[in-house]
Coordinates of all heavy atoms in Angstrom, one line a residue:
M571 N 0.8 -1.2 0.0 CA 0.0 0.0 0.0 C 0.9 1.3 0.0 O 1.9 1.3 0.7 CB -0.9 0.0 1.2 CG -2.0 1.1 1.2 SD -3.1 1.0 2.6 CE -2.1 1.7 3.9
D572 N 0.5 2.2 -0.8 CA 1.3 3.4 -0.9 C 1.0 4.3 0.4 O -0.1 4.4 0.9 CB 1.0 4.2 -2.1 CG 1.7 3.7 -3.3 OD1 2.6 2.8 -3.2 OD2 1.4 4.1 -4.5
V573 N 2.1 4.9 0.8 CA 2.0 5.8 1.9 C 2.0 7.3 1.4 O 2.8 7.6 0.5 CB 3.2 5.6 2.9 CG1 3.0 6.5 4.1 CG2 3.3 4.2 3.3
V574 N 1.2 8.1 2.0 CA 1.2 9.5 1.5 C 2.2 10.3 2.4 O 2.1 10.3 3.6 CB -0.2 10.2 1.7 CG1 -0.1 11.7 1.3 CG2 -1.2 9.5 0.8
A575 N 3.2 10.9 1.8 CA 4.3 11.5 2.5 C 4.7 12.8 1.8 O 4.1 13.1 0.7 CB 5.5 10.6 2.6
Y576 N 5.6 13.5 2.3 CA 6.2 14.6 1.7 C 7.2 14.1 0.6 O 7.7 13.0 0.7 CB 6.9 15.6 2.6 CG 5.9 16.5 3.3 CD1 5.0 15.9 4.2 CD2 5.8 17.8 3.0 CE1 4.0 16.8 4.8 CE2 4.9 18.6 3.5 CZ 4.0 18.1 4.4 OH 3.0 18.9 5.0
V577 N 7.3 14.9 -0.5 CA 8.1 14.5 -1.7 C 9.0 15.6 -2.1 O 8.6 16.8 -2.0 CB 7.1 14.1 -2.8 CG1 7.9 13.9 -4.1 CG2 6.2 13.0 -2.5
I578 N 10.2 15.2 -2.5 CA 11.2 16.2 -3.0 C 11.0 16.2 -4.5 O 11.1 15.1 -5.2 CB 12.6 15.9 -2.6 CG1 12.7 16.0 -1.0 CG2 13.6 16.9 -3.2 CD1 14.1 15.7 -0.5
G579 N 10.8 17.3 -5.1 CA 10.7 17.5 -6.5 C 11.9 17.9 -7.3 O 13.0 18.1 -6.7
A580 N 11.7 18.2 -8.5 CA 12.9 18.5 -9.4 C 13.8 19.6 -9.1 O 14.9 19.7 -9.4 CB 12.3 18.7 -10.9
A581 N 13.2 20.6 -8.3 CA 14.0 21.8 -8.0 C 15.3 21.4 -7.2 O 16.2 22.2 -7.1 CB 13.2 22.8 -7.3
C582 N 15.2 20.3 -6.5 CA 16.4 19.9 -5.7 C 17.6 19.4 -6.6 O 18.7 19.5 -6.2 CB 16.0 18.7 -4.8 SG 17.3 18.2 -3.7
I583 N 17.3 19.0 -7.8 CA 18.3 18.5 -8.7 C 19.5 19.5 -8.8 O 19.2 20.7 -9.2 CB 17.8 18.1 -10.1 CG1 16.8 17.0 -9.9 CG2 18.9 17.7 -11.0 CD1 16.0 16.7 -11.2
D584 N 20.7 19.1 -8.5 CA 21.9 19.9 -8.5 C 21.9 21.1 -7.6 O 22.7 22.0 -7.7 CB 22.2 20.4 -10.0 CG 22.5 19.2 -10.9 OD1 22.9 18.2 -10.4 OD2 22.2 19.4 -12.1
T585 N 20.9 21.2 -6.6 CA 20.9 22.2 -5.6 C 21.6 21.5 -4.3 O 22.6 22.0 -3.9 CB 19.5 22.7 -5.2 OG1 18.9 23.2 -6.4 CG2 19.6 23.8 -4.2
L586 N 20.9 20.5 -3.8 CA 21.6 19.6 -2.8 C 22.2 20.4 -1.6 O 23.3 20.0 -1.2 CB 22.7 18.8 -3.5 CG 22.2 17.7 -4.4 CD1 23.4 17.2 -5.2 CD2 21.6 16.6 -3.7
D587 N 21.6 21.4 -1.1 CA 22.2 22.2 0.0 C 22.0 21.5 1.3 O 22.6 21.9 2.3 CB 21.7 23.6 0.0 CG 20.3 23.6 0.4 OD1 19.4 23.0 -0.3 OD2 19.9 24.3 1.4
R588 N 21.1 20.6 1.4 CA 20.8 19.7 2.6 C 20.2 20.5 3.7 O 20.2 20.0 4.9 CB 22.1 19.0 3.0 CG 22.8 18.2 2.0 CD 24.0 17.5 2.5 NE 23.6 16.4 3.3 CZ 23.3 15.1 2.9 NH1 23.4 14.9 1.6 NH2 23.0 14.2 3.7
S589 N 19.6 21.7 3.5 CA 18.9 22.4 4.6 C 17.8 21.5 5.2 O 17.5 21.6 6.4 CB 18.3 23.7 4.0 OG 19.2 24.5 3.5
C590 N 17.1 20.7 4.3 CA 16.0 19.9 4.8 C 16.5 18.8 5.7 O 15.8 18.4 6.7 CB 15.3 19.3 3.6 SG 16.4 18.4 2.5
V591 N 17.7 18.3 5.5 CA 18.2 17.2 6.3 C 18.4 17.6 7.7 O 18.1 16.9 8.7 CB 19.6 16.7 5.7 CG1 20.2 15.6 6.6 CG2 19.4 16.1 4.3
D592 N 18.9 18.8 7.9 CA 19.2 19.3 9.3 C 17.9 19.4 10.1 O 18.0 19.4 11.4 CB 19.8 20.7 9.2 CG 21.2 20.6 8.5 OD1 21.8 19.5 8.5 OD2 21.6 21.7 8.0
V593 N 16.7 19.6 9.5 CA 15.5 19.8 10.3 C 14.6 18.6 10.5 O 13.7 18.6 11.3 CB 14.7 21.0 9.8 CG1 15.5 22.3 9.8 CG2 14.2 20.7 8.4
C594 N 14.9 17.6 9.7 CA 14.0 16.4 9.7 C 14.2 15.6 11.1 O 15.3 15.2 11.3 CB 14.3 15.5 8.5 SG 13.2 14.0 8.6
P595 N 13.1 15.5 11.8 CA 13.2 14.9 13.1 C 13.4 13.4 13.1 O 13.7 12.7 14.1 CB 11.9 15.2 13.8 CG 10.9 15.4 12.7 CD 11.7 16.0 11.6
V596 N 13.1 12.8 11.9 CA 13.2 11.3 11.8 C 14.3 10.8 10.9 O 14.4 9.7 10.5 CB 11.8 10.7 11.5 CG1 10.9 10.8 12.6 CG2 11.3 11.2 10.2
D597 N 15.1 11.8 10.4 CA 16.2 11.4 9.5 C 15.8 10.6 8.3 O 16.5 9.6 8.0 CB 17.3 10.7 10.3 CG 18.2 11.6 11.1 OD1 18.2 12.8 10.8 OD2 18.8 11.1 12.1
C598 N 14.8 11.0 7.6 CA 14.3 10.2 6.5 C 14.6 10.8 5.1 O 14.1 10.4 4.1 CB 12.8 9.9 6.6 SG 11.8 11.4 6.4
I599 N 15.5 11.8 5.1 CA 15.9 12.4 3.9 C 17.4 12.1 3.6 O 18.2 12.3 4.4 CB 15.8 14.0 3.9 CG1 14.4 14.4 4.4 CG2 16.1 14.6 2.6 CD1 14.2 15.9 4.6
S600 N 17.6 11.5 2.4 CA 19.0 11.1 2.1 C 19.2 10.9 0.6 O 18.3 11.0 -0.2 CB 19.3 9.7 2.8 OG 18.5 8.7 2.3
A601 N 20.5 10.7 0.4 CA 20.9 10.4 -1.0 C 22.2 9.6 -0.9 O 22.9 9.6 0.1 CB 21.1 11.7 -1.8
D602 N 22.6 9.0 -2.0 CA 23.9 8.3 -2.1 C 24.9 9.1 -2.8 O 24.5 10.1 -3.5 CB 23.7 6.9 -2.8 CG 22.8 6.0 -2.1 OD1 22.7 6.1 -0.8 OD2 22.2 5.2 -2.8
E603 N 26.1 8.8 -2.7 CA 27.2 9.5 -3.4 C 26.9 9.5 -4.9 O 26.5 8.4 -5.4 CB 28.5 8.7 -3.1 CG 29.8 9.4 -3.7 CD 30.2 10.6 -2.9 OE1 30.0 10.5 -1.7 OE2 30.8 11.5 -3.5
G604 N 26.9 10.6 -5.5 CA 26.7 10.7 -6.9 C 25.3 11.1 -7.3 O 25.0 11.4 -8.4
D605 N 24.3 10.9 -6.3 CA 22.9 11.3 -6.6 C 22.9 12.8 -6.9 O 23.6 13.6 -6.2 CB 22.0 10.9 -5.5 CG 21.6 9.5 -5.6 OD1 21.5 8.9 -6.7 OD2 21.4 8.9 -4.5
R606 N 22.0 13.3 -7.7 CA 21.8 14.7 -8.1 C 20.8 15.4 -7.3 O 20.5 16.6 -7.4 CB 21.6 14.9 -9.6 CG 22.8 14.4 -10.4 CD 22.5 14.5 -11.9 NE 22.4 15.9 -12.3 CZ 22.2 16.2 -13.6 NH1 22.1 15.3 -14.5 NH2 22.0 17.5 -13.9
M607 N 20.1 14.6 -6.4 CA 19.0 15.2 -5.6 C 18.9 14.3 -4.3 O 19.4 13.2 -4.3 CB 17.7 15.3 -6.3 CG 17.1 14.0 -6.7 SD 15.4 14.1 -7.3 CE 14.4 14.4 -5.8
L608 N 18.1 14.9 -3.3 CA 17.8 14.1 -2.1 C 16.4 13.5 -2.3 O 15.6 14.0 -3.1 CB 18.0 15.0 -0.9 CG 19.4 15.0 -0.2 CD1 20.3 15.7 -1.1 CD2 19.3 15.6 1.1
F609 N 16.2 12.5 -1.4 CA 14.9 11.8 -1.5 C 14.3 11.6 -0.1 O 15.1 11.5 0.9 CB 15.1 10.4 -2.1 CG 15.9 10.4 -3.4 CD1 17.3 10.3 -3.4 CD2 15.2 10.5 -4.6 CE1 18.0 10.3 -4.6 CE2 16.0 10.5 -5.8 CZ 17.4 10.4 -5.8
I610 N 13.0 11.6 0.0 CA 12.3 11.4 1.3 C 11.8 9.9 1.3 O 11.1 9.5 0.4 CB 11.2 12.4 1.5 CG1 11.7 13.8 1.7 CG2 10.3 12.0 2.7 CD1 10.7 14.9 1.7
D611 N 12.1 9.2 2.4 CA 11.6 7.8 2.5 C 10.1 7.9 3.0 O 9.9 8.3 4.2 CB 12.5 7.1 3.6 CG 12.1 5.6 3.7 OD1 11.0 5.3 3.2 OD2 12.9 4.9 4.2
P612 N 9.2 7.5 2.2 CA 7.8 7.7 2.5 C 7.4 6.8 3.7 O 6.3 7.0 4.3 CB 7.0 7.3 1.2 CG 8.0 6.5 0.5 CD 9.4 6.9 0.8
K613 N 8.1 5.7 3.9 CA 7.8 4.8 5.0 C 8.2 5.3 6.4 O 7.7 4.8 7.4 CB 8.4 3.5 4.8 CG 7.9 2.7 3.6 CD 8.5 1.3 3.4 CE 7.8 0.6 2.3 NZ 8.7 -0.5 1.8
V614 N 9.0 6.4 6.4 CA 9.5 6.9 7.6 C 9.0 8.3 7.9 O 8.8 8.7 9.0 CB 11.1 6.9 7.6 CG1 11.6 7.4 9.0 CG2 11.6 5.5 7.3
C615 N 8.8 9.1 6.8 CA 8.3 10.5 7.0 C 7.0 10.5 7.8 O 6.1 9.7 7.6 CB 8.0 11.0 5.6 SG 7.2 12.7 5.5
I616 N 7.0 11.4 8.8 CA 5.8 11.6 9.7 C 4.9 12.8 9.3 O 4.1 13.2 10.1 CB 6.3 11.7 11.1 CG1 7.2 12.8 11.3 CG2 6.9 10.4 11.6 CD1 7.5 13.2 12.8
D617 N 5.2 13.3 8.1 CA 4.3 14.4 7.6 C 4.3 15.6 8.5 O 3.3 16.3 8.6 CB 2.9 13.9 7.4 CG 2.8 12.8 6.3 OD1 3.8 12.6 5.6 OD2 1.7 12.2 6.1
C618 N 5.5 15.9 9.0 CA 5.5 17.1 10.0 C 5.7 18.4 9.3 O 5.5 19.5 9.9 CB 6.6 16.9 11.0 SG 8.3 17.1 10.3
A619 N 6.1 18.4 8.0 CA 6.3 19.6 7.2 C 7.5 20.5 7.6 O 7.7 21.6 7.0 CB 5.0 20.5 7.2
A620 N 8.3 20.1 8.5 CA 9.4 20.9 9.0 C 10.4 21.2 7.9 O 11.1 22.2 7.9 CB 10.1 20.2 10.1
C621 N 10.5 20.3 6.9 CA 11.5 20.5 5.8 C 11.1 21.5 4.7 O 11.9 21.9 3.9 CB 11.8 19.1 5.2 SG 10.3 18.3 4.6
V622 N 9.8 21.8 4.7 CA 9.3 22.6 3.6 C 9.9 24.0 3.6 O 10.4 24.5 2.6 CB 7.7 22.7 3.6 CG1 7.2 23.7 2.6 CG2 7.2 21.3 3.4
E623 N 9.8 24.7 4.7 CA 10.2 26.1 4.8 C 11.7 26.3 4.5 O 12.1 27.3 3.8 CB 9.8 26.7 6.1 CG 10.1 28.2 6.3 CD 9.3 29.1 5.4 OE1 8.2 28.7 5.0 OE2 9.8 30.2 5.1
P624 N 12.6 25.5 5.1 CA 14.0 25.7 4.9 C 14.5 25.5 3.5 O 15.6 26.0 3.2 CB 14.7 24.7 5.9 CG 13.6 24.3 6.8 CD 12.3 24.4 6.1
C625 N 13.8 24.8 2.7 CA 14.2 24.5 1.3 C 14.3 25.8 0.5 O 13.2 26.5 0.3 CB 13.3 23.5 0.6 SG 13.9 23.2 -1.1
P626 N 15.4 26.2 0.0 CA 15.6 27.5 -0.7 C 14.9 27.5 -2.1 O 14.8 28.6 -2.7 CB 17.1 27.7 -0.8 CG 17.7 26.3 -0.8 CD 16.7 25.5 0.1
V627 N 14.6 26.4 -2.6 CA 14.0 26.3 -4.0 C 12.6 25.7 -4.0 O 12.1 25.4 -5.1 CB 15.0 25.5 -4.9 CG1 16.3 26.3 -5.1 CG2 15.3 24.1 -4.3
E628 N 12.0 25.7 -2.8 CA 10.6 25.2 -2.8 C 10.4 23.8 -3.5 O 9.5 23.6 -4.2 CB 9.6 26.2 -3.3 CG 9.7 27.5 -2.6 CD 8.7 28.5 -3.1 OE1 7.9 28.2 -4.0 OE2 8.6 29.7 -2.5
A629 N 11.4 22.9 -3.2 CA 11.3 21.6 -3.9 C 10.4 20.6 -3.2 O 10.1 19.6 -3.7 CB 12.8 21.1 -3.9
I630 N 10.1 20.9 -1.9 CA 9.4 19.9 -1.1 C 7.9 20.2 -0.9 O 7.5 21.4 -0.6 CB 10.0 19.8 0.3 CG1 11.5 19.5 0.2 CG2 9.4 18.6 1.1 CD1 12.3 19.5 1.5
A631 N 7.0 19.2 -1.1 CA 5.6 19.4 -1.0 C 4.9 18.1 -0.5 O 5.5 17.0 -0.6 CB 5.0 19.8 -2.3
F632 N 3.8 18.3 0.2 CA 3.0 17.1 0.6 C 2.5 16.5 -0.7 O 2.1 17.3 -1.7 CB 1.8 17.6 1.4 CG 1.1 16.5 2.1 CD1 1.7 15.4 2.7 CD2 -0.3 16.5 2.1 CE1 1.0 14.4 3.3 CE2 -1.0 15.5 2.8 CZ -0.4 14.4 3.4
E633 N 2.6 15.2 -0.8 CA 2.3 14.6 -2.1 C 1.0 15.0 -2.8 O 1.0 15.3 -4.0 CB 2.3 13.0 -1.9 CG 2.5 12.2 -3.2 CD 1.1 11.8 -3.7 OE1 0.3 11.5 -2.9 OE2 1.0 11.9 -5.0
P634 N -0.1 15.1 -2.1 CA -1.3 15.6 -2.8 C -1.2 17.0 -3.4 O -2.0 17.4 -4.3 CB -2.4 15.5 -1.8 CG -1.9 14.6 -0.7 CD -0.4 14.8 -0.7
D635 N -0.3 17.8 -2.9 CA -0.1 19.2 -3.3 C 1.1 19.4 -4.3 O 1.4 20.5 -4.7 CB 0.1 20.1 -2.1 CG -1.0 20.0 -1.1 OD1 -2.2 19.8 -1.5 OD2 -0.7 20.1 0.2
L636 N 1.7 18.3 -4.6 CA 2.9 18.4 -5.5 C 2.5 18.9 -6.9 O 1.4 18.6 -7.4 CB 3.5 17.0 -5.7 CG 4.9 16.8 -6.2 CD1 5.9 17.5 -5.3 CD2 5.2 15.3 -6.4
R637 N 3.3 19.8 -7.4 CA 3.1 20.3 -8.8 C 2.8 19.2 -9.7 O 3.5 18.2 -9.7 CB 4.2 21.1 -9.3 CG 4.7 22.3 -8.5 CD 5.8 23.0 -9.3 NE 6.6 23.8 -8.4 CZ 7.7 24.5 -8.8 NH1 8.0 24.5 -10.1 NH2 8.4 25.1 -7.9
P638 N 1.8 19.4 -10.6 CA 1.5 18.3 -11.6 C 2.7 17.8 -12.4 O 2.8 16.6 -12.7 CB 0.4 18.9 -12.5 CG -0.2 20.0 -11.7 CD 0.9 20.5 -10.7
E639 N 3.6 18.8 -12.8 CA 4.7 18.4 -13.6 C 5.7 17.6 -12.8 O 6.7 17.0 -13.4 CB 5.3 19.6 -14.3 CG 5.9 20.6 -13.3 CD 4.9 21.7 -12.9 OE1 3.7 21.4 -12.8 OE2 5.4 22.8 -12.6
W640 N 5.6 17.5 -11.5 CA 6.5 16.8 -10.7 C 5.9 15.5 -10.2 O 6.5 14.8 -9.3 CB 7.0 17.6 -9.5 CG 7.9 18.7 -9.8 CD1 8.4 19.1 -11.1 CD2 8.4 19.7 -8.9 NE1 9.2 20.2 -11.0 CE2 9.3 20.6 -9.7 CE3 8.3 19.9 -7.5 CZ2 9.9 21.7 -9.0 CZ3 9.0 21.0 -6.9 CH2 9.8 21.8 -7.7
K641 N 4.8 15.1 -10.7 CA 4.1 13.9 -10.1 C 5.0 12.6 -10.1 O 4.9 11.8 -9.1 CB 2.8 13.6 -10.9 CG 1.7 14.5 -10.5 CD 1.3 14.4 -9.0 CE 0.2 15.4 -8.6 NZ 0.0 15.5 -7.1
E642 N 5.8 12.5 -11.1 CA 6.6 11.2 -11.1 C 7.7 11.2 -10.0 O 8.2 10.1 -9.7 CB 7.3 11.0 -12.5 CG 8.4 12.0 -12.8 CD 8.7 12.0 -14.3 OE1 8.1 12.7 -15.1 OE2 9.6 11.2 -14.7
F643 N 7.9 12.3 -9.3 CA 8.9 12.3 -8.2 C 8.3 11.6 -7.0 O 9.1 11.2 -6.1 CB 9.3 13.8 -7.9 CG 10.3 14.2 -8.9 CD1 9.9 14.8 -10.1 CD2 11.7 14.1 -8.7 CE1 10.8 15.2 -11.1 CE2 12.6 14.5 -9.7 CZ 12.2 15.0 -10.9
T644 N 7.1 11.4 -6.9 CA 6.5 10.6 -5.8 C 7.1 9.2 -5.9 O 7.7 8.6 -5.0 CB 5.0 10.5 -5.9 OG1 4.5 11.8 -5.7 CG2 4.4 9.6 -4.8
R645 N 7.1 8.6 -7.1 CA 7.6 7.3 -7.4 C 9.2 7.3 -7.2 O 9.8 6.4 -6.7 CB 7.2 6.9 -8.8 CG 7.8 5.6 -9.2 CD 7.1 5.1 -10.5 NE 7.8 4.0 -11.1 CZ 8.4 4.0 -12.3 NH1 8.3 5.1 -13.0 NH2 9.1 3.0 -12.7
I646 N 9.8 8.4 -7.7 CA 11.3 8.5 -7.7 C 11.8 8.5 -6.3 O 12.7 7.8 -5.9 CB 11.7 9.7 -8.5 CG1 11.5 9.5 -10.0 CG2 13.2 9.9 -8.3 CD1 11.7 10.7 -10.9
N647 N 11.1 9.3 -5.4 CA 11.5 9.3 -4.0 C 11.4 8.0 -3.4 O 12.3 7.5 -2.7 CB 10.7 10.3 -3.2 CG 11.1 11.8 -3.3 OD1 11.5 12.4 -2.3 ND2 11.1 12.3 -4.5
R648 N 10.3 7.3 -3.6 CA 10.1 6.0 -3.0 C 11.1 5.0 -3.5 O 11.7 4.2 -2.8 CB 8.6 5.5 -3.3 CG 8.3 4.2 -2.6 CD 6.8 3.8 -2.8 NE 6.6 3.5 -4.2 CZ 5.8 4.1 -5.1 NH1 5.1 5.1 -4.7 NH2 5.6 3.7 -6.3
M649 N 11.3 5.1 -4.8 CA 12.2 4.1 -5.5 C 13.7 4.2 -5.0 O 14.4 3.2 -4.9 CB 12.2 4.3 -7.0 CG 13.0 3.2 -7.7 SD 12.7 3.3 -9.5 CE 11.0 2.7 -9.6
H650 N 14.1 5.4 -4.6 CA 15.5 5.5 -4.1 C 15.7 4.5 -2.9 O 16.8 4.0 -2.8 CB 15.7 6.9 -3.6 CG 17.0 7.1 -2.9 ND1 18.3 7.0 -3.5 CD2 17.3 7.1 -1.6 CE1 19.2 7.1 -2.6 NE2 18.7 7.2 -1.4
F651 N 14.7 4.3 -2.1 CA 14.9 3.4 -1.0 C 14.7 1.9 -1.3 O 14.9 1.1 -0.4 CB 14.0 3.9 0.2 CG 14.3 5.3 0.6 CD1 13.6 6.4 0.0 CD2 15.3 5.6 1.5 CE1 14.0 7.7 0.3 CE2 15.7 6.9 1.8 CZ 15.0 7.9 1.2
E652 N 14.3 1.6 -2.5 CA 14.1 0.2 -2.9 C 15.1 -0.2 -4.0 O 15.7 -1.3 -4.0 CB 12.7 0.1 -3.5 CG 11.6 0.4 -2.5 CD 10.2 0.5 -3.1 OE1 10.1 0.5 -4.4 OE2 9.2 0.6 -2.4
D653 N 15.4 0.7 -4.9 CA 16.4 0.5 -6.0 C 17.0 1.8 -6.4 O 16.6 2.5 -7.3 CB 15.6 -0.1 -7.2 CG 16.5 -0.6 -8.3 OD1 17.7 -0.2 -8.3 OD2 16.0 -1.3 -9.2
P654 N 18.1 2.2 -5.6 CA 18.7 3.5 -5.8 C 19.2 3.8 -7.2 O 19.1 4.9 -7.7 CB 19.9 3.5 -4.8 CG 19.6 2.4 -3.9 CD 18.7 1.4 -4.6
A655 N 19.7 2.7 -7.9 CA 20.2 2.9 -9.3 C 19.1 3.3 -10.2 O 19.2 4.1 -11.1 CB 20.9 1.7 -9.7
A656 N 17.9 2.6 -10.0 CA 16.8 2.9 -10.8 C 16.2 4.3 -10.6 O 15.8 5.0 -11.6 CB 15.7 1.9 -10.5
A657 N 16.3 4.7 -9.4 CA 15.8 6.1 -9.1 C 16.7 7.1 -9.7 O 16.3 8.1 -10.3 CB 15.8 6.3 -7.6
R658 N 18.0 6.8 -9.7 CA 19.0 7.7 -10.3 C 18.8 7.8 -11.8 O 18.8 8.9 -12.4 CB 20.4 7.2 -10.0 CG 21.5 8.3 -10.3 CD 22.8 7.8 -10.0 NE 23.0 7.5 -8.5 CZ 24.1 7.2 -8.0 NH1 25.3 7.2 -8.7 NH2 24.2 6.9 -6.7
E659 N 18.4 6.7 -12.4 CA 18.2 6.7 -13.9 C 16.9 7.5 -14.2 O 16.8 8.2 -15.2 CB 17.9 5.2 -14.4 CG 19.2 4.5 -14.7 CD 19.0 3.1 -15.2 OE1 17.9 2.8 -15.7 OE2 19.9 2.3 -15.0
L660 N 15.9 7.4 -13.3 CA 14.7 8.2 -13.6 C 14.9 9.7 -13.4 O 14.4 10.5 -14.2 CB 13.6 7.8 -12.6 CG 13.0 6.4 -12.8 CD1 12.0 6.0 -11.7 CD2 12.2 6.3 -14.2
V661 N 15.8 10.0 -12.5 CA 16.2 11.5 -12.4 C 16.9 11.9 -13.7 O 16.6 13.0 -14.2 CB 17.1 11.7 -11.1 CG1 17.7 13.1 -11.1 CG2 16.3 11.4 -9.9
E662 N 17.8 11.1 -14.1 CA 18.6 11.5 -15.4 C 17.6 11.6 -16.6 O 17.7 12.5 -17.4 CB 19.7 10.5 -15.7 CG 20.8 10.5 -14.7 CD 21.5 11.8 -14.7 OE1 21.5 12.6 -15.6 OE2 22.1 12.1 -13.6
S663 N 16.6 10.7 -16.6 CA 15.6 10.7 -17.7 C 14.8 12.0 -17.6 O 14.5 12.6 -18.6 CB 14.7 9.5 -17.5 OG 13.6 9.6 -18.3
W664 N 14.4 12.4 -16.4 CA 13.6 13.6 -16.2 C 14.5 14.8 -16.7 O 14.0 15.6 -17.5 CB 13.2 13.8 -14.8 CG 12.2 14.8 -14.6 CD1 10.8 14.6 -14.6 CD2 12.4 16.2 -14.4 NE1 10.2 15.8 -14.4 CE2 11.1 16.8 -14.3 CE3 13.5 17.0 -14.3 CZ2 10.9 18.2 -14.1 CZ3 13.3 18.4 -14.2 CH2 12.1 19.0 -14.1
V665 N 15.7 14.9 -16.3 CA 16.6 16.0 -16.7 C 16.7 16.0 -18.2 O 16.7 17.1 -18.8 CB 18.0 15.8 -16.1 CG1 19.0 16.8 -16.7 CG2 17.9 16.0 -14.5
S666 N 16.9 14.9 -18.9 CA 17.1 14.8 -20.3 C 15.8 15.3 -21.1 O 15.9 15.6 -22.3 CB 17.5 13.4 -20.7 OG 16.4 12.5 -20.7
R667 N 14.7 15.3 -20.4 CA 13.4 15.7 -21.1 C 13.1 17.2 -20.9 O 12.2 17.7 -21.4 CB 12.3 14.8 -20.6 CG 12.2 13.5 -21.2 CD 11.0 12.7 -20.6 NE 11.4 12.0 -19.4 CZ 10.7 12.1 -18.3 NH1 9.6 12.8 -18.2 NH2 11.1 11.4 -17.2
Q668 N 14.0 17.9 -20.1 CA 13.7 19.3 -19.9 C 14.3 20.2 -21.0 O 15.2 19.8 -21.7 CB 14.3 19.7 -18.5 CG 13.7 18.9 -17.4 CD 12.2 18.7 -17.4 OE1 11.4 19.7 -17.4 NE2 11.7 17.5 -17.5
Ligands
SF4_1919 S1 7.8 16.1 6.4 FE1 8.9 16.0 8.4 S2 9.4 13.8 8.6 FE2 8.8 14.2 6.5 S3 10.7 14.5 5.4 FE3 9.9 16.5 6.0 S4 10.9 17.0 8.0 FE4 11.1 14.8 7.6
SF4_1920 S1 16.5 21.9 1.2 FE1 15.5 21.6 -0.9 S2 17.1 21.9 -2.4 FE2 18.1 21.6 -0.4 S3 18.6 19.4 -0.4 FE3 16.6 19.7 0.6 S4 15.1 19.4 -1.0 FE4 17.0 19.7 -2.0

């Protein structure tokens, strides 16, 4: 069953300043070496919204409120915690379509 959580969208790509990581009370925002953005683990996120305001590029939103053009980032965030390489490919694919 899908969990409704906060999602990091495309604006994070190549920004990566990690302001969100510092405020998350459950440490559910992460990335691997070489990733071009950070991801929120939907299974751990407690929907507290603490990460939204510190993000300098407004990349983070509650999933139902995510910009329509960023809808696939719901899947990309979740996928990072299941298959990081696949998530990275989806990010590259998104970038190549811009
Ligand atoms: S909404 Fe709260 S728990 Fe979820 S990623 Fe943001 S700071 Fe962490
Ligand atoms: S604060 Fe925003 S831009 Fe910075 S790492 Fe977090 S989601 Fe990405």
Side-chain angles (χ1 to χ4, degrees):
M571 190 177 77
D572 280 350
V573 182
V574 178
Y576 279 69
V577 173
I578 299 179
C582 183
I583 297 171
D584 296 335
T585 305
L586 287 170
D587 68 303
R588 306 183 73 86
S589 302
C590 53
V591 175
D592 295 339
V593 299
C594 179
V596 292
D597 281 337
C598 68
I599 308 174
S600 64
D602 295 332
E603 186 76 31
D605 277 329
R606 293 178 67 178
M607 64 172 285
L608 269 69
F609 310 91
I610 292 174
D611 186 343
K613 291 183 175 159
V614 183
C615 175
I616 57 170
D617 295 351
C618 73
C621 55
V622 173
E623 182 68 29
C625 179
V627 292
E628 299 182 2
I630 308 175
F632 192 43
E633 195 268 321
D635 304 326
L636 197 62
R637 299 185 203 180
E639 64 270 30
W640 288 356
K641 282 298 177 193
E642 68 194 89
F643 282 84
T644 299
R645 177 169 167 243
I646 292 172
N647 276 241
R648 186 177 68 242
M649 186 171 290
H650 170 75
F651 299 93
E652 298 166 353
D653 185 345
R658 195 177 299 189
E659 279 181 23
L660 288 174
V661 171
E662 291 301 334
S663 168
W664 194 91
V665 170
S666 72
R667 281 180 274 126
Q668 304 312 300

